[in-house]
Amino acid sequence: ATAFPCWTPRLAVVAQTTVCETPMLIGYARVSKSDGSQVLDLQRDALLEAGVAPRQIYQDEASGKRDDRPGLAACLKALREGDILVVWKPDRLGRDLRHLVNTAQDLAERGIGFKVLAGQGAEIDTTTAGGKLVFGIFAALAEFERELIRERTKAGLAAARARGRKGGRRFD
């Protein structure tokens, strides 16, 4: 028996306790124009308020339609399993719904969460069950959109062929 009977169990509990690392929040911000008419301040402020460290915010000043966005490439490279990518609005990340869905699915396969802070899609947080549900709905809508485009393209080509036109580019 010791003078402090509670002391030994507490030491045992402390010795068995492991420190759980919280996921790192990585932010991405983008404006479409680099001429100074658009600024990143609003997005940066929202990301900082959400808990993203200033040095963990990646940014681009380029149109979302462009494939070469060095800030996004660096951001995606910096993300590790267990991290969470945070964006202000979904259109800041994806060129279109299809690109957004594909990017988020790639993140999920790597074990990375995705969170949207504002706008249409603010309910997306793939680290929660509800967020996964909402994102699944978005993915289904993207698939539906692709099928509609495919059907319209086929119908347009059939209509053109019926009028004697052939598909493809014209040769000048």
Side-chain angles (χ1 to χ4, degrees):
T2 63
F4 303 102
C6 295
W7 184 256
T8 305
R10 285 187 185 165
L11 283 178
V13 171
V14 170
Q16 294 173 358
T17 303
T18 57
V19 178
C20 295
E21 188 176 322
T22 58
M24 182 172 291
L25 300 177
I26 307 284
Y28 178 69
R30 180 186 61 78
V31 291
S32 298
K33 297 181 180 179
S34 59
D35 62 5
S37 63
Q38 296 179 342
V39 293
L40 293 161
D41 296 346
L42 177 64
Q43 294 177 58
R44 286 187 59 81
D45 290 346
L47 293 170
L48 291 170
E49 189 173 319
V52 180
R55 67 185 180 285
Q56 298 299 335
I57 297 176
Y58 295 82
Q59 59 193 45
D60 279 314
E61 293 180 356
S63 169
K65 298 286 183 193
R66 293 181 53 182
D67 283 332
D68 59 328
R69 291 188 275 165
L72 178 59
C75 177
L76 295 174
K77 185 175 180 180
L79 288 161
R80 301 286 179 247
E81 184 175 355
D83 290 346
I84 300 172
L85 174 60
V86 184
V87 296
W88 179 56
K89 287 187 175 181
D91 65 335
R92 300 295 86 196
L93 177 65
R95 295 189 303 265
D96 52 32
L97 184 58
R98 179 178 171 187
H99 180 255
L100 178 65
V101 168
N102 290 342
T103 301
Q105 286 176 338
D106 290 344
L107 293 173
E109 289 171 5
R110 293 173 51 195
I112 298 166
F114 176 57
K115 184 172 184 176
V116 178
L117 300 177
Q120 299 294 329
E123 50 283 325
I124 296 177
D125 181 352
T126 62
T127 63
T128 67
K132 288 177 185 174
L133 172 67
V134 170
F135 190 75
I137 293 169
F138 278 9
L141 289 173
E143 180 64 28
F144 178 68
E145 179 184 34
R146 281 192 292 271
E147 289 299 317
L148 287 177
I149 292 169
R150 190 173 295 125
E151 287 175 10
R152 284 193 303 257
T153 301
K154 286 181 180 179
L157 288 171
R161 277 193 294 275
R163 290 177 177 76
R165 299 170 83 193
K166 294 182 180 177
R169 285 189 167 175
R170 292 184 183 171
F171 293 101
D172 295 324

